[in-house]
Each structure stands twice: as C-alpha cells, then as structure tokens.
Amino acid sequence: LKASEGGGGKGIRKCANDEELRTGWEQVTNEVVGSPIFMMQLCTGARHLEVQLVGDEYGSVVALIGRDCSTQRRFQKIFEEGPPTIATKEDFREAEKAAQRLAMSVGYRGAGTVEYLYKPDSRGFYFLELNPRLQVEHPVTEGITGVNVPALQLQIGMGIPLQRVPDIRRFYGLDPDEASQIDFLNDAYVYPSTHVIAARVTAENPDDAFRPTSGRIERIRFQSTPNVWGYFSIGANGGIHEFADSQFGHIFASGPTREHARKALQIALKNISVVGEIRNPTEYLVELAETEEFKNNSIDTAWLDKLIAEKTIKMKCNANDMIFYAACLRAHLQVKEQQRKILDGIKKGHMPLQSNLKILQSFQVELAHESTKYNFQVSRTAQDAFALTIGETTLEARFREQPDGSLYVRCGDAVAQISGVEEPLCLRLRVEGQATITFPRIRDPSELRSDFNGKLVRYLHADGADIKEGEPFAELEAMKMIMSLRAGVSGKVHHTLGAGAIVAAGDLLATLDLADPSKVQTVKPFSGAFQLSKKGGRNAEAKKEVLDSLPSPTKDGMLSAVLCGFCASPELSKLGGVGIVQHIFKSHEDGAAEDQGMEVALDATCKLLGVFLENERFVASLVGGDETQTIQRFQGPPEELLSKILAHTALKESLHIVSSLLRSLSSNFALEGAISALPMDLVAKLTELRALPDAGGYGQVKLLAQQLLTQMNKPLGMRREDLRDTLLKSTRKDLLALANSHDAERRMYFGLDLISSLFSDEDQSVRSKAVEVYILRTYRGYTVQDVETVDAKDVVDKTPAAQLHLTWTFAPPGVQQKTQKGYAIVLPDMSAYESLVESWKIPAAPEITEIHILVAKVPSTSRKNSDESRVALCSAVSRTADMISSAAPMLDAKGCVVVNVMLAHAGHVPSYLHFHKASGWKEIPEYRNMRSTLPSLIELPQIQTEFTVSPLEHGRIFAMDFGVSKDKKTEVVFARAASHIAMGLDTLASSILSDLLTSCDFIERAMLDPVLENRHPAAQIFLHSLPPIPDTTQRDFKYLQVLFGSAVQQLMAESGSRVLKLRIAKIEVKVWVATSPPTALRLMAESSMGWEAVAFQETLDTLTGSPISFKNVETQEECSGVEMLRQPVETQRSSKRTIARRAGSTYIYDFPALLRISLTKLWMKSCDKVPVKLVVARELVLQAGELVEQEQLGNNRVGMVVWQCTLRTPEYPEGREIILIGNDVTVKAGSFGVEESDVFHKASELARKKGIPRVYIACNSGARIGGVEELKSVVQVEWVDSDDLLKGFKYLYIPDADMQKLPPQAVESHAISVNGETRHVLDAVIGAGLASTKGGVGVECLQGSGLIAGETSRAYEETFTLSYATGRSVGIGAYLNRLGQRNIQMVHGPMILTGAEMLNKVLGQQVYTTMDQLGGPHIMVPNGVTHELVQNDQDGVEAILRWLSFVPQNVLTIPPMISSRDPASRRVQFTPTKSPYDPRHMLAGVNVDGEWQAGFCDDGSFHEYLAGWGKSVVVGRGRLGGMPLGIVAVETRGMERRIPADPQEANSSDVVEIQAGQVWYPDSAYKTAQAIRDFNHGEHLPLLIFANWRGFSGGTRDMFAEVLKYGSMIVDALVEYKQPVTIYIPPNGELRGGAWVVLDPKINMEQIEMFADVEARGGILEPPAAAEVYFKKDKQVVEMMHRCDDALKQLDIRQAKGEDVAREIQQREKLLLPVYQQVAWEYCDLHDRAPRMKSVGAIREGLSWAESREYLHWRIRRRVQENGVARKLMRAVSGMSYVSAMQVVTDLCRKAAAVAGVEAEDRAVATWIEENRSEVQLRIERERQRATEEEVYRLVSSLPAARRAEVVRDLFGYTRVAAKAGGPTSGMA
C-alpha cells in the first residue's frame, strides 16, 4: 500500500496477508490523510536506483547520472551513494534516457527524480515514480557531477537554457564560456572519477528497530574534512519534537573509489557526537558499513530491515566493560542528582537528611542486560572515586567530569570517555569510540508502556480483550509515522488512556491481567566473578594525559577521603583506618631510610590533621547550642557546606583515625612523657586540636593533643648528655641534693627513666653515681641512710654477673624507730640472669627487705612496631619471672619481701616489674611500670583489699586505676598521686587546688580509655604530699582543715560542672605536720556531705608506715581503714547519673550540690568570707496525700522529687526559702504518672501557700504511656481463618482458667462458649488491681497532667515560678514550662510536644534528625518561650540564682535592696545619640576607644532576658543603686527576624523579615507585654521603661500578624501592674502616636509616672509629618515666606502694581522652600519638648540624663517603700482601697517630707520608712483596729434593734473571759 502524497517512508506499508492489509490501510490513511492510495505488487530482491533530472523551459532535460538508495529501513533511505555501480554503465544509461524521455514528454521543468526498482539478476529497470522536487540527497549528485543543483534550479527559473549553464557544460566536458548545442539524449557526459556515499543522521533508536525518538539536544560535535562534508538542522540546545521528521543531519563522504568513500564515511560517523535525550544510529551505521554485504554491494532494499529484525548488527564491545561503565555512569548521575537536591534544600534552609547523605556515600546501582540483573554495591571512596562491588569482585574507578558533561573513567590501566543519560525506560550509555548501548529498566510485565514520545492513535483491542504475546495492542504517531506497540506477554488488556492522548516515553498505556504469570521471563541476578577486558578502549593512547592526571590513591589520601566522609576504599577496609595509620609509621631498616620515613610520616600526619580540622572547624564552632544553625551560621557557598556536613557524618571514624595518629606520634617519639621537637605546622595543628570544645565528641582528640603538647621537650640524646655532664662534675655529697632537686625535674628532667640510661655508661664513676641517684630518687619521702657501694671480695667474686652492688637503710614516711635494709644489683644485660641464678652472693646483712635488680641494657625493638615491642616485652618479663622464681629460696632466706626489677631499654622508657613474696614471687601486673615506692605512697594495697584494680595509666608520681568492688556493685576510677614538692601554709590551698585540677585532667583522659567504654564509674582523688609542712604543729590541724576546705570550695567555684561531669565523689589529701616524728593528717571531702572538709589524724604501722586507724580532729571519733574505704552515696548513685547524662541532663539529686557550688561562687565574688550551710535541702515525700520531710538519698520510686530549700544568698544572708521540684529521669524516663502529678501538685500548692518561689527542674518524657503487662501473656486471638492469618482476626479473648486468676475489675468482657470452651471476649482493658497499672498507664496520666497544668497557671498568678529545662521536656513537661512563663533552657534541653522519631514515623521518612529542630534553643529562644539560654547545668543553676536575686523573699515583701559598689549619685556617662545605637550600652555601659563609659544601671548588674525574641525591644533586670528594677528599652537599629524553613515541607525556605528600629512589631509588642507581666507576678519589681518608640508597624503583614492584639496586651499588663512604673523618654528619644497611647500614665494613675529627658520629644507625629498637616502641605509655608522674606515682599508689591513677576516669585519660592520647610519642622518640634509636656501634665518632670540615676533612684525607691506600706495596709484592712492606703502613707510621712523640702523629699520619705519600720507597723496596726471597730459597729448596726443589745452583751462577756485567759482578744479588751 502506498499513498501517492507520501514519501520518506511515510504512507507505505508491506502487507503479507489480509490482516496486515487491514492494519496497513489504517496506518497509511492516518499517516497521509486524504491522499490517494495505490495497491501494487511487492518486488523482492530489487535495488532502489534513481536518476536526477533537470529540465528547462525549452524542452531540454539533462540526466545528472543517478544514485543508489537501496539501503533502507521501513522504505526510508539510510545510505545514498553515486554513481550506481550495481548496474552497468550501459544499462544505467538506458535508464537515464528513459527518464529523460518521460520528462520531455510532459514538458517537465525544474529538478526531479525518477525512481526505479532494479533487478540485478535480470538487469531490468522498473519505474516507480517521479518525485517533482529536489531531494535531500542531492549533494551526492553534486559531488560526482560538479553541478550545483540548487543554483541550477535558479538559473532554469531565470530562463537560461541548460546548454548555456557553465556547470552543465563542464559536466559534458565542454568549454563553459561557449554556447554550442548539447544533445542531452545522445551526447555522452564525462563519467565521474569520484564516488560519494551519504548517511542520514536520524533521531531513531537502532536498538529498537529504528523507532523514532524525540527530545532535547544539548550539543552536536562534527568536524568537516576535505573529503567529508555534512550539515545539521539542529543546533546546540535545540530539540526534536514528536511530530517532526526524524532526520536532522546528513553526512557526505567522497573518494576515488567506493571503498575509499566507505572508509571516509565510517571515520566521519565515529567522530560525530550528539549529546541529548534523543537516540541516533551513528555507531550502528559504522558497523553497517563494515558488513561484507555492503562492502561487496550485494544488498537489496529489504536487506537492512532483515538485519534489524534479526538484530544481526551488534556493537563490537565487551559486554562486561559496557556494564561496568554503565554502572559508573549511573552512580555518577545518582550522586550528582542527589547533590543537586541537597544543595537545593540547603539554599532554602533545610539541613540534609541522614538518609540522603548516605546516598552520597554508599548505595546500590542496578542494571539489566540480556536477562541478567547486575546489582553493584557502590561506595564513594573519594570525591572522584567509586568502589563497585558485584558478586565476588570489587572494582575501583576514578573519574573526571569534562566541561561537556562526559566522564573520563579509569579502572586500573584502562581509561574510557563515557557519556549518557537516564531515560524513562532505560539508561543510554555512549562509550566514546566504541558504542552506544542501552540498559533497560526492569519493568513489570503487566504494564504496557510507551517506548517513545508521540500521540496515541488508537487501541487495537477492546478494553478487556485477550491479547497474545507479540501481538500489537496500540498504535502511536511519532515523526508523522504510525508505529505499532506489541505486548510482551499474553493477558487481558485494560486501557488507561483515550485516543488522541499525547504520551511520553515510559507513560502507561495499558495494564494486563497476566494469563500465566509463571511463564513470564524473569531476570536472574549475577553471581560469581566479574571480569573486565582490561583494555583502555580504542583510543587509550590518546587519553594518556587524562590517565596520568588520575593518580592512584596514596595511603594518606585514602585516610583523607575517610576524614571527608567518604567510604573506606577496599584496601583501607582490609587494613582498617588504624591499620593504615600504623602503616604510615612503618619502620625502615637503615637509619637514613628511617629518618626519611619519619619525615614522610610527620608530613602525612600534619596533612591528615589539617584535613580533619578543615572539616570540623566550623561544626565544632557550633557546639554549645548552635548545632541546629549550621546553615544560618555558614558564610561560604552551599557546596562547601555540604562537604563539611558530609565529613561530619563520619566523625566517629575520623576520631578513631585522628586518635590513632596522635597515639602513634606519642609512641614513636615519646620517652617518659617527653617527645622530640615537632614541625611548627604540626604543632599549630595540635594547638588547634587542643582548642576544640569538650562536647561534640572531640574530648578524646583534644586531650591527646594537649598531652602531646605538654610532653614536648629536648630530644633524648641531648638530655642524656646534660645529665652525664652533671654527674661527672658532681661529688658524692652532691648526689642527695641532685636526687631531691625539683629544678632538675623541671628544667632538665633527671627522672628515673633518664638516669637508668647511664647504667651502661663506659665510665665506672658515672655508672656508680647514676645508680646511687636512682636509689635516692626512688626513696624520696623516705628516710634513707648508709648508702654504700659493696666492694666485699666475696660478694663481687661470687656474683660474676654483677657490675655493681649497693646497700642502704630506709624507713617509710612517719616511721623512725624501725629501719629496713635495701640492696641493689646492676646487671649488664639479661644474659646475666643464668649466671646470677647459679652464683649470687647477697651482702651479709641480717635481713634485706627490698632488692632492686637493675638490668642496664635490654635489647630494643622497633619503636614503630607495637606488635614486636609487645612480644619482646613479654619475652623479657617471662625470662625475668623465671629468674626470680629460681632465686626464690635465696630471697626467702635473706628475709626479702619485695624484688623490683628495672629493665633499661636503649633509647626508650624502661620497664618496671614488681615481685612480692606475698604473691608467691609472681609479678604483680597492677604495679607494672610504677616506680617501686609509689604503690605504698598512694596506698594502692589498701584499695586492693576492697577492689579489683585494673591499671589505666601509670606515671612517675601518679596512677590511674579502674576498680570494681568485690561485690561487683561499685565501679570507681581512682586518681592517686604523690608529690615531693614542699608546701607552706601560705601556699597549701593554691597548691592543693592546682593538684586537684591536674587530677581532673587525668580523670578526664582516663574516662576515654576503651576499658571504660559504655561504663560510667564514679571517681575519687587521693593526693599524698610527702614533705612535712614547715612550722606546723598539732595546733594547726583545724587550720589545715580550713585551708583544704578553701581549696575544695575554690575548685567547686571554678570547675564545679566539671567535677560533676567527671562524677568525682571523694577527695582526699594526705599531708605531714612537722612534728617529731611527722604526723600524718588526712583531709577529706565528699560530695554527699556538701564538700565540707573533714580532717583525720592517722595512726601508722610502726614498720610499714601504713595507716591503721583514723581519728576525727573535730569529734575525736576513731574509725578503721575499712570504714575510711566506705564508698560515699554519690558513688552508689553512679548508675543513675549515667542514665541522667544519657538523657542530656544531670541527676536530679545532684542539683542541691550545684546550688551549693553556685552560691559559693556568688559569695566569693561579693566578699571573702563564705557562710557555712549555704544550702539546706529538706526532701519532701508524699505520704497519705501530704508532703512530709524524708531523705530518700536517691532510693525514690516516684519520678518527681521535691525539696524545701533554704538558700543563704548575698541578698538574704540569713536564708530564703524556695520549693525545688524536679523530674527524676532515671525513674521511668521521667514520665508523668499519677503519683508524679500528685507530688508536683502538692509541692506547687505548698509554694503558693507559703508565697515563696517555685523552681521546676524539667527533664521528662511527657505523660506516661503503657499497658497492662499481666494480660499480655494470657490474651488469645480468634482468627478468621487459622490457616490464612492474613484474612485477619475476629476478637481477642482470655480463656476461662486465666480469667479466674485476674482481679474482678481487670477487664470488661463478655463470655461466649466455643466448642465447649468458655471464652471471655475483651470489650475493654481496665487493669484495676494489677501492679503494672500502678502510677497510671493512660488517660489517668492525662488527668494528672491537666491537674498540674492548672496548678502551674495558678502558681504563676500567685507566686514566683521559674522553670529550668535541663533535658528534654515532652508534652505536659513542655506545657508546664510555658505555663510557668519564665524559662531557662539548657542548649541541649529541647521543649517539644512530640519526639522527632515519632514524627518521622508519622511522616514516613526521616525528616527530623534531632529534637532540637522541634524545640531546641533556636526554636524556643526566637519564639519567646525561652527567656535565657545556658550552656550546661552549672550555668543553669547560676542563672536560677541570678534571677532569684531580683525576687522578693515571699509575695508579701518587696524585692531585696543590697548595698551597691556603684553609688546612685554616679553620673551616667554613655549618652544615647540621634543615630542608631545599641540600647544595652545605654543600660550597662560600653568601652569606647579604651575608655569605659558607664551606663544607667549599676555596673555589671543588668542582665538581658528574652534576647532572641522580638529583637526591636530589649528587656531585662538590673539594679539602680542596689535597688532591683525590671527594665524595658528600645532597639534603635534595624533588626532581622528569621523564620526557619520547615524540614517536613521541602518547598519551604528560611524567611528573613527586616524590622526597623523604634517601632513595635507583633513579636516585640508581645514581648513587652510578657515582660511587664513577669515583672509584676511574683517578682514585684518596679518597672522602668525607656520609651523611644515612633509607633506600631501597621503594614498588611503585621496587621495580619495581630500587632493590634499584642499592642493592646501592653495596656492590659500595665493596668494590672501593682508596683511603681516609671516611663522615661531618654535623650534624643521620642514617643509618638499609638506608642504614647499604650504607655500613658492615665492607664494606671496609681502606679505610672512619666518623665522625659530635656533632649527628648513627644507628640502625635514626627515634625516633618506634622508640618505636612499643620502647614497644609506647604501652603502656609509659602505664606510664611511672603511674610518674612524681603525679596518676596518686594515682588508682591510689584505684582500688586500689575507687573508680571509670577515667574520670579515662583523661582524665589522654589529656592526658599527647603529652608522654610526646616523652619516649619522646627516650629512643630517646639511643640514636642519636655517643658510643654510638663505644662500640660503629660509628664511629671523633665530630667537631665547625666544626673537621672540619682533622681530616679530615690523617686522609685520612695514609691517602692510607699507602695509596700500601702499593700500591707490593704492586707491588714479588708476592703481598703489603694487610694485610701496611700493617703495614710502620705499622712505617715508628711513630717519627714515637710522637713526635707521638695528637692530632697523622695530621699527623706524613702529613708524614713526604711528606718522607722516599727512606727510604720504600729500605724498599720492602729488602722487595722480602727477598721475592725468600724466593721464591728457596722455589723451590729445591721442587726434588728431587738438583737443588738443581746449581741453586745454576749460580746462583752466573751472579751472578759478571753482577757482572764490571756487570749488573743485581751488586747482588744
């Protein structure tokens, strides 16, 4: 079938049967609508040849040879070539002539093509058609004839005869300039010597039967050459739509022969690159031109369609290579797309989710190829590297993206350039120079989808019809052609679209109900080894430069990648990060290589630390509250931020690597605490590491860096030579001083480790002196005498292995009566052991208690191979142990009890081994590497009687050990040290404090030991100072106790939070009093005792010097050593502390201690003497519905704890009471059950009843939720179908036997009988009478929550309430904080309604990564819920006490006045300016150019609250001459209000609103009202408002945001204010319009007074705006000009005379208008000044800013005192109004006021009231009595007359009886 108006393959179909004929008819009629259609016989085995004709108007027709267009698919040409060679020249000439005759017969004019079918076997031509147009392949004709056909057409149109056209004449070999006739039918043309082959470039998919494709084209690359030319109809960033023709390019190649032209075409096609969404067949055409049929020219028109159908043409490439490159491309595209999404979110303010970040690190790539599924596990091992694992194979690939989007990929030595795109149905991959290949997506066979873009023409089967596999089911129109789509499997089809629908590739067209799902072909996963061809591609040589630029990763490079958040490479995974660190520090054989290796190691370490710091520097700066502000705080581009976030996700692994690096540095360079000098850049990196915050996980690397920096010293060799020179110059008399020299220790460090290095010195004198110094230094603190070198011949001769013998006598500290004998023997090396055992003569002493075996030289292993070192040390220890065991009988015979062995390793730290007779002469591993006297000095043996001890870290004079009690219940870290530095009475406290801080450092480092991982032990400190304290006697015991207590108090003041964090429960310091003999005094403090110091005098064992009993210096009570080892309560609470710390809080029972620490700090700031009993906390427990005092000591079972605390504060030295309520998060996660709510309610009621502050410590998990546990094990299920549980269940029931065991009200149920079995079907679960419901499990807990919510609201109204969120506060916990209004929040104490994990479950994805995103400080501070933010609980307690310092003792008193070091008479130095300034400078002062300018408040007293909310207003509390004030001030600068993006709404963004200064906005108006209410309720603070507002923001946004409502709340708050309110317009400030209205004194005339500075202004509008109204928009300004300006006056006169001066007047007015406008503004401004405000009664007085402090101090102070008296009167006299009470107060103070005069009246009245409390109280009592009498009279008068006398008589009788009894009414009587 062929439409006569078709062409280019459109409107033509081959039909083999009736069915195809029907289908073909529909397709042809749709493709070429309205065209006549021919039916013709199919000619097979033919060639398509055509003749190019051009006819002129004169009847001539020339045949420009012809073309062979036999290579076709779907009747559309692919290759065209000429001249045709399949036909002989003669045969083709006959065809040309026939074509010419045809054209001449119809008078054809112009270009045309006659098309033939040619049968090579019969040499016959068969006419097809004449195309009356120029065809796209005409350049083939031009290439072989030299005739420009388009130009020829123009010439024909111009009427030029063919024989006159130059190109035609040249074609016939004639002179182009002549005009001779040409017989085009008979004259022969010159046969061409060139062959041309053309290829069409189409948007078709060769892998899918050349189906059309459409889409965007990014770029086309094609380079013409002398023998290849081409053109394209689409440029860069163009596209091909689904209704366009598929051809968009044409390539023409020429050559002297067909073979030359073919090869040229292939090269050209290979070099074409088309990047975009479409497909093109260029690679296919290359392979097509390479087929033997094409090369031999033995094809026909059906040849290509046959090849396509049979899929004969395949790309010559390795399948695994293509799959691997496709995996690389898909991985790269996935990462790129994920990065784009994340960066998009970052720009909007969204932190990336962890799940999304993981995709940037590790993910799966799935590919399908030839029924096999390839699942690659992809790990990003660097920014430009992947490790792809499939089956048993892992391949590493590095890549580099080019500007054109293609990738250079390297795997091993192979490099390929790849590009591609993800399409809806497949991944299309192009490997440059090899092939383009597609990898289809794995599809559901029941879904029938479109393979390309187009229009749905029709469905070929009715909806619901059955179709068979391979049967067409729909037709789509694409590229003007109708294409059939076939079903892949059999089934029942269901349509999803309607005819005419526009579809894209991948759109669902229909669904199938599969006929037989089992027959669906499935893809099988790949398994086994995956092998690549290991070739670099065809152009690998050309890519050598790229290959060289992609280097193989180095060891430090791999670690750098891990530090940057990438996955470990396969090599790194095998070794581990720590393993590669060790590899970096790998030893080298020869010295030079080793030095070079160490230099490389140091460089690598420096580089890696730099990478870590670069990644973590910014994140670390956020630790402490800004963790959720990562995006807001970052200043760089989003890409850089993403890299830091990605790196931070690998922090745990990074810390392991960095810690390993630091430890390796130490182990490779250290010698007993000293390391060689390090490169300066490395030192800088270590210094920065040391500065990292403690929190955030950086603690370990910080401490390791600090340790390294403190250990830096001179290299070992240099220090050894210093010591040797000193010994050579010293005499024996100098040795004792040298051994005890602390200067040596600090300046040159002559420690035991260094001294031992000289035992093998070649100089005998040096060796001898070194050993003696060693002994003297070892026994420092002991009494050592008679140190002698043994020269006895029998000893020397009978011990041939020894180099030196030494003896001495010694006595432990405090022991003088009995001495012991010591003996040292020096051996050259360990080989002397055998000789020693065989022949060892110990000096002839009666008894030698301790023996030291000093081995001068032990072979050293590589210092960089820790495994070798461990093996060598174990061998040395084993040999030594064998030697000691062999010598045991001899040791026993000499009475020896201890043998200490020192093994000196050349160039390294010696090893110290200890063997005791009591242990059977086995080594004591707990003492290894401790100096021999240290265990007894730090009393480690005593600890071992109660604890099993494991060493953590041992040093010269300290030991860190982990102890587990014998009953396994207690775990303690023991920090014990001995000191040889003398302390005097004047330095004792500071020295102890310094040693305690050092001990804290050691404990902190020890807590990082892997032994303590997941453990949270308590800690104890023991310090033993050996030198007796000079000039002390037993009379100084208590003084020493006081000094020790002072040091402990100072420690708590400076590092209290750290002590708490380290869980230090006990501190002991042992000192020696300089009696004869010295007396041991043990000073002790425990946290359970409030860190109060206690002193014990020790009684010592007369031989060993160990303490055997202790006597309390104050009480004289004695206790044993076992009692002294008793663990304090705090140690027993360690497990609960652990739970609390995991919740981000401090254990609730530690808060009284925190209060004590903070109060100590407060007192130490205010005075030198700290009172005793700073905190008395009486715990209250609920019993029988009432709170009773009872100490639970942490054994509580209710998760709510209450104390009634008495605090001795600087404001109330005698003590003030508060109620302290706190959640115990260790009891059921701090949840609110019924009991917890009852305790809270009663405690809050108690605070209200007493009128004292109520402080709530919040750390909870909301209302308790649970279930009836006892029923879980007995509940049964009745299933709908027990064989198919997926059908569901009918009901839950309890069997009758189990039901009988339950209490009556446990459940509600109804009984049924099933097969004779009684079942109790559950209607409701009650749980009454069951243990698991005690405390509540559901709605009853909510009832309790409602109870305490209402109670908290009442408490805010009636007393002072303050909440501190120390940890998470959930649900009701968060509401309690808000209902209490005042909130202090710890940075890690979020207040939330629902947890992040629960919200994520509701949302179905991980949207929230932390609870801080919901209620952390950056949510609760900006929204005004949080008033103050603190970093830790110690700061939180300090904030509580600071707030309480402004709060009265109870609700009946006024706020506390304190003496101030900053007198009220001091002038205010900082002056507010007209330009914007920081109002905090006005209040607190500021340093300007190095000079302090004091502000309005007392120096250091102002503290801001609500700083992050409503930033255009500043509120806080401060003091004025010691008097507390609530302060509101105005921000004059522009502020920003930031609304964060909502993580659960991906399209949301951060919003920043700009707020102008001096304007109330909705948030700042609400903030003002909130602050005023807080000052009024419970705090009773006088209020001072520095009013400097121009008005309210009245724009649409702010009106919608309820600015009107919140502005009204300011009025409401002022109306109910019960304390004096002072409003002061500051200098250069202004109060206008609505702002004045909400602050006017008439709002509350009893309390509000207004003042204005003499430089302030007040009015309705600002002068410029007022002038617009007042001067009627400059009309009256112009009148003023004419009235005042002489020039205008003259012009007016001239105008009156009739002169035309209007122009001159206009010019003069224009000139003067700006000046006169300023005059008008000044005139209006004069109305707004203080004198006028005072004269109309708007303000009380105009003030001068500099002197305002003194005036306002006394004015407010007077009003506070008067107000206090008035309130007392109102309470005493029921019904008395405030006005009446103030009249009484005025009368009371009238005399004092009159005497003082007007100027001093305020001061006089305030002072009189304060100094005459008794007189004031007497007057109040008189007023009370008077009012009582009046009330009694009124009541009696209200009685009926008949009853009055009777009642009066009864009252008289009652008073007489009461008077005799001395009752309360006697006074009245």
Side-chain angles (χ1 to χ4, degrees), residues 888 1665 1857:
V1857 171

Side-chain angles (χ1 to χ4, degrees), residues 1026-1037:
L1026 287 153
I1029 304 171
D1031 304 322
T1032 53
T1033 66
Q1034 290 188 348
R1035 291 192 301 272
D1036 296 310
F1037 283 177

Side-chain angles (χ1 to χ4, degrees), residues 1674-1713:
D1674 296 338
K1675 178 182 176 182
Q1676 294 181 358
V1677 172
V1678 174
E1679 293 175 359
M1680 188 190 303
M1681 292 184 208
H1682 286 268
R1683 182 168 49 82
C1684 299
D1685 183 63
D1686 292 338
L1688 282 175
K1689 287 179 183 179
Q1690 293 299 320
L1691 289 171
D1692 288 341
I1693 294 171
R1694 290 171 60 191
Q1695 189 179 45
K1697 292 178 180 179
E1699 294 185 32
D1700 184 10
V1701 293
R1703 184 179 179 83
E1704 295 180 53
I1705 291 174
Q1706 185 179 5
Q1707 289 177 343
R1708 182 68 178 174
E1709 288 175 349
K1710 184 177 180 180
L1711 176 68
L1712 296 179
L1713 183 60

Side-chain angles (χ1 to χ4, degrees), residues 1183-1365:
Q1183 291 182 359
E1186 296 298 329
L1187 292 176
V1188 297
E1189 189 173 329
Q1190 178 183 324
E1191 290 293 331
Q1192 297 185 100
L1193 300 176
N1195 295 317
N1196 56 305
R1197 296 190 177 183
V1198 177
M1200 192 69 68
V1201 183
V1202 178
W1203 288 279
Q1204 183 172 338
C1205 298
T1206 302
L1207 311 179
R1208 301 186 68 178
T1209 67
E1211 298 78 30
Y1212 295 102
E1214 298 304 316
R1216 67 173 304 161
E1217 284 193 333
I1218 68 167
I1219 297 297
L1220 183 64
I1221 311 172
N1223 296 110
D1224 186 350
V1225 75
T1226 69
V1227 178
K1228 297 186 179 179
S1231 59
F1232 288 84
V1234 174
E1235 293 172 306
E1236 283 77 13
S1237 296
D1238 288 343
V1239 171
F1240 186 101
H1241 178 247
K1242 286 295 183 181
S1244 183
E1245 271 191 338
L1246 179 62
R1248 284 196 294 124
K1249 181 179 179 181
K1250 286 178 166 287
I1252 59 177
R1254 192 205 81 177
V1255 179
Y1256 170 45
I1257 309 295
C1259 181
N1260 53 73
S1261 55
R1264 185 170 300 157
I1265 183 171
V1268 181
E1269 293 294 325
E1270 292 85 349
L1271 298 183
K1272 283 183 180 178
S1273 59
V1274 298
V1275 169
Q1276 302 291 329
V1277 182
E1278 175 64 16
W1279 300 99
V1280 173
D1281 184 347
S1282 59
D1283 295 327
D1284 186 1
L1285 302 187
L1286 296 180
K1287 291 182 179 178
F1289 63 92
K1290 295 180 180 179
Y1291 53 81
L1292 303 183
Y1293 69 93
I1294 298 176
D1296 186 62
D1298 293 321
M1299 189 70 176
Q1300 302 308 319
K1301 301 175 185 177
L1302 296 175
Q1305 298 299 317
V1307 298
E1308 281 193 7
S1309 63
H1310 61 276
I1312 64 173
S1313 180
V1314 178
N1315 298 327
E1317 176 194 4
T1318 300
R1319 295 179 176 180
H1320 298 270
V1321 179
L1322 294 178
D1323 298 320
V1325 174
I1326 309 299
L1330 296 175
S1332 62
T1333 61
K1334 184 181 180 181
V1337 294
V1339 69
E1340 63 270 39
C1341 298
L1342 297 179
Q1343 282 189 302
S1345 297
L1347 174 71
I1348 59 180
E1351 167 58 35
T1352 298
S1353 182
R1354 285 187 288 274
Y1356 174 75
E1357 297 293 333
E1358 298 177 22
T1359 189
F1360 175 80
T1361 57
L1362 176 61
S1363 299
Y1364 170 48

Side-chain angles (χ1 to χ4, degrees), residues 38 43 205 241 362 383 900 916 1061 1092 1121 1156 1418 1491 1827:
F38 291 86
C43 180
N205 184 359
H241 57 76
S362 180
Q383 186 72 31
N900 302 301
H916 288 202
K1061 172 187 171 185
E1092 292 185 12
R1156 193 176 295 111
H1418 293 285
E1491 181 180 347

Side-chain angles (χ1 to χ4, degrees), residues 579-831:
I580 288 203
V581 169
Q582 300 305 321
H583 187 85
I584 289 175
F585 284 90
K586 185 180 178 182
S587 62
H588 297 264
E589 295 300 325
D590 56 285
E594 182 172 340
D595 291 341
Q596 184 180 5
M598 288 316 302
E599 185 177 343
V600 171
L602 288 174
D603 289 343
T605 301
C606 190
K607 174 186 173 184
L608 292 169
L609 293 182
V611 171
F612 175 78
L613 288 167
E614 181 62 30
N615 290 332
E616 294 296 327
R617 187 179 291 118
F618 168 70
V619 180
S621 70
L622 301 176
V623 172
D626 284 342
E627 289 88 346
T628 62
Q629 298 298 289
T630 305
I631 296 175
Q632 290 77 7
R633 295 282 187 270
F634 191 71
Q635 300 298 315
E639 293 78 9
E640 185 181 343
L641 176 58
L642 176 56
S643 69
K644 296 187 184 303
I645 294 173
L646 188 64
H648 189 66
T649 61
L651 180 63
K652 185 176 180 180
E653 179 63 24
S654 297
L655 291 173
H656 281 312
I657 292 171
V658 173
S659 299
S660 181
L661 283 169
L662 298 178
R663 290 194 185 99
S664 297
L665 266 182
S666 180
S667 63
N668 280 273
F669 291 88
L671 175 66
E672 193 174 270
I675 55 176
S676 304
L678 297 174
M680 290 308 297
D681 54 348
L682 182 53
V683 173
K685 300 288 192 306
L686 292 171
T687 303
E688 189 173 354
L689 281 175
R690 182 175 61 181
L692 289 173
D694 292 323
Y698 303 108
Q700 184 174 12
V701 296
K702 175 178 179 176
L703 284 173
L704 289 171
Q706 183 176 352
Q707 184 180 15
L708 272 169
L709 287 171
T710 55
Q711 290 173 340
M712 291 182 63
N713 209 320
K714 291 171 97 175
L716 172 65
M718 294 174 61
R719 292 184 290 116
R720 184 180 183 279
E721 291 305 315
D722 291 340
L723 175 57
R724 189 175 187 279
D725 290 343
T726 302
L727 289 177
L728 282 172
K729 297 173 184 176
S730 301
T731 65
R732 281 200 66 191
K733 293 180 181 180
D734 303 324
L735 297 183
L736 180 60
L738 181 61
N740 290 317
S741 171
H742 300 297
D743 282 343
E745 208 173 9
R746 286 191 165 89
R747 295 174 189 169
M748 291 191 295
Y749 181 50
F750 290 168
L752 297 184
D753 299 339
L754 193 58
I755 294 170
S756 66
S757 67
L758 295 175
F759 291 173
S760 60
D761 194 271
E762 64 275 5
D763 191 310
Q764 170 66 29
S765 171
V766 171
R767 289 203 306 269
S768 177
K769 292 176 183 177
V771 174
E772 186 166 345
V773 171
Y774 177 90
I775 295 301
L776 292 172
R777 194 163 183 80
T778 297
Y779 285 88
R780 281 186 302 168
Y782 284 61
T783 303
V784 180
Q785 296 175 335
D786 305 325
V787 181
E788 298 291 343
T789 301
V790 179
D791 296 324
K793 188 171 179 18
D794 62 332
V795 173
V796 174
D797 291 344
K798 291 182 180 180
T799 315
Q803 290 184 328
L804 184 68
H805 301 267
L806 201 71
T807 59
W808 64 94
T809 58
F810 66 93
V815 176
Q816 286 190 341
Q817 302 300 323
K818 297 181 180 180
T819 61
Q820 303 175 50
K821 192 75 172 180
Y823 162 60
I825 179 173
V826 180
L827 302 179
D829 51 43
M830 293 178 65
S831 63

Side-chain angles (χ1 to χ4, degrees), residues 477-543:
E477 179 185 350
M479 304 295 187
K480 302 181 181 177
M481 296 182 66
I482 305 299
M483 314 290 291
S484 297
L485 299 180
R486 299 178 183 272
V489 293
S490 300
K492 191 183 294 294
V493 68
H494 299 284
H495 303 167
T496 58
L497 298 174
I502 304 300
V503 297
D507 283 357
L508 183 66
L509 301 179
T511 60
L512 280 178
D513 294 335
L514 300 181
D516 187 356
S518 64
K519 292 185 178 180
V520 175
Q521 183 179 4
T522 58
V523 291
K524 298 179 180 179
F526 175 86
S527 60
F530 188 86
Q531 297 295 329
L532 297 181
S533 67
K534 299 184 179 178
K535 294 179 180 178
R538 297 181 182 177
N539 54 348
E541 291 298 324
K543 299 168 185 172

Side-chain angles (χ1 to χ4, degrees), residues 1703-1744:
R1703 184 179 179 83
E1704 295 180 53
I1705 291 174
Q1706 185 179 5
Q1707 289 177 343
R1708 182 68 178 174
E1709 288 175 349
K1710 184 177 180 180
L1711 176 68
L1712 296 179
L1713 183 60
V1715 177
Y1716 273 85
Q1717 281 179 334
Q1718 294 180 35
V1719 172
W1721 297 347
E1722 179 68 14
Y1723 180 76
C1724 291
D1725 183 69
L1726 291 169
H1727 292 71
D1728 297 343
R1729 300 191 181 183
R1732 185 174 189 280
M1733 288 188 268
K1734 180 179 179 181
S1735 68
V1736 299
I1739 64 172
R1740 180 180 179 88
E1741 194 63 68
L1743 301 179
S1744 174

